[in-house]
Amino acid sequence: MKKHSYLKFGLLSVFAFLFVILGNASNTFAQNSGNMYEEPWVPASKFAVKAGGQKEKATITLVSVKKADFTTGEAGLDFTMCLEVKVKKGSKKAVTQYAQTNVFRNDQTMRYTLKSWKLLAAPPEDCK
């Protein structure tokens, strides 16, 4: 009789342990994965706007992603995007412009790198 109760207790302990471990693992994954319904270029476009603002020495705000494509390589993702942005330099009024940009995301480090950034007054042909 005692062996049977120890077996039940041991089995119950194993299940409780697995429940706690797997429950915490799923919580950790949910916190780190971000919005799972977010398009992959959304974080890349946010990074591009931030890095472009530093490059232009201006406050740049993302209005919309007009066009976005990405290619997968061995080292990561390469995003080519056309963004509608508001650009405010110094005390001047913010103006709407278009940014053609290329961003690389390293799959190992998950870090973004701005490969190119170009501001245009009008939307380019390939942006439509």
Side-chain angles (χ1 to χ4, degrees):
M1 183 83 167
K2 283 188 177 184
K3 274 188 174 179
H4 187 66
S5 63
Y6 285 123
L7 185 61
K8 277 186 176 178
F9 181 74
L11 194 55
L12 183 62
S13 298
V14 168
F15 281 122
F17 176 76
L18 289 173
F19 179 76
V20 170
I21 295 298
L22 295 175
N24 286 334
S26 66
N27 285 342
T28 302
F29 176 74
Q31 290 172 0
N32 292 333
S33 65
N35 182 354
M36 294 186 339
Y37 300 107
E38 186 174 74
E39 298 294 348
W41 55 80
V42 172
S45 64
K46 291 176 182 178
F47 170 81
V49 167
K50 183 178 177 183
Q54 292 171 346
K55 185 175 182 155
E56 299 288 337
K57 295 182 174 71
T59 302
I60 299 179
T61 308
L62 179 64
V63 175
S64 67
V65 177
K66 292 296 185 183
K67 186 176 179 183
D69 295 310
F70 66 93
T71 55
T72 306
E74 284 186 34
L77 296 176
D78 196 43
F79 297 91
T80 303
M81 299 173 288
C82 182
L83 311 173
E84 182 179 356
V85 295
K86 291 277 186 183
V87 180
K88 183 172 179 0
K89 288 188 177 184
S91 60
K92 294 180 182 178
K93 185 179 174 185
V95 294
T96 300
Q97 290 189 318
Y98 297 85
Q100 284 184 310
T101 184
N102 185 271
V103 174
F104 176 75
R105 187 191 78 187
N106 184 310
D107 279 346
Q108 286 189 339
T109 63
M110 298 305 282
R111 292 195 176 198
Y112 293 95
T113 305
L114 185 66
K115 292 173 69 178
S116 68
W117 172 268
K118 183 178 178 183
L119 279 178
L120 304 162
E125 280 299 314
D126 64 346
C127 191
K128 296 175 181 177

